[in-house]
Amino acid sequence: MRAGPFFKYRIAAGAPVYMAAVMEYLCAEVLELAGNASRDHKKRRIVPRHILLAVGHDEELHKLLKDVTIPAGGVIPNINPVLLQKKANFTKKAIAAANGLGFPKEGDQKKKVKKIVKKPTKEVKRLNKAAPKVADKVDKVVNKS
């Protein structure tokens, strides 16, 4: 430590021991997380990719090692949420219809139209009991809209 960049400052006798303890803790933390990553990928050996994934998924280690490049580690998988929005479902028929190819258009096929019958609401049922003539007028107005 005295030969390194710290030679300007006074260094206590216990400083190298403390620094060794910190480095041991960091190594144990990274190895534990990398071991978990290798187990998740069903591998028995830790490779640089597992170390990168371990560091990338741990918030504190990521802050500490944000400028570090791990050789053969690849990249941390990340997909921008904007790209995950639902895309339009383009079928072969839709593409062919847009290009004017041989598939029949929707207008060419006969469509069956179902008649929609509105059920009377609770208010209309109450009016039927109280005043049947008024309820008929209200029912006609409701079914027109």
Side-chain angles (χ1 to χ4, degrees), residues 72-121:
V75 295
I76 297 174
N78 183 26
I79 301 174
N80 196 329
V82 173
L83 300 174
L84 292 176
Q85 294 175 352
K86 270 198 164 179
K87 297 179 181 176
N89 187 9
F90 295 110
T91 60
K92 290 181 180 178
K93 288 184 179 181
I95 294 170
N99 293 332
L101 298 176
F103 288 104
K105 295 181 183 177
E106 290 183 19
D108 296 341
Q109 299 171 354
K110 293 182 181 178
K111 294 181 182 178
K112 293 182 181 179
V113 179
K114 292 183 180 179
K115 187 176 182 182
I116 299 172
V117 179
K118 293 185 180 180
K119 296 180 180 179
T121 60

Side-chain angles (χ1 to χ4, degrees), residues 26-102:
L26 286 175
C27 288
E29 188 75 20
V30 169
L31 284 175
E32 179 187 353
L33 293 173
N36 294 341
S38 68
R39 193 177 325 117
D40 291 344
H41 288 100
K42 298 177 182 162
K43 305 286 182 187
R44 296 187 68 195
R45 185 175 293 170
I46 296 173
V47 294
R49 174 76 178 160
H50 300 140
I51 296 172
L52 178 86
L53 292 173
V55 169
H57 290 301
D58 188 61
E59 185 179 340
E60 293 168 345
L61 284 174
H62 185 69
K63 277 184 185 178
L64 180 66
L65 303 173
K66 64 182 174 192
D67 296 327
V68 174
T69 302
I70 299 175
V75 295
I76 297 174
N78 183 26
I79 301 174
N80 196 329
V82 173
L83 300 174
L84 292 176
Q85 294 175 352
K86 270 198 164 179
K87 297 179 181 176
N89 187 9
F90 295 110
T91 60
K92 290 181 180 178
K93 288 184 179 181
I95 294 170
N99 293 332
L101 298 176

Side-chain angles (χ1 to χ4, degrees), residues 15-26:
V17 176
Y18 189 82
M19 190 170 174
V22 170
M23 290 175 64
E24 180 186 359
Y25 170 75
L26 286 175

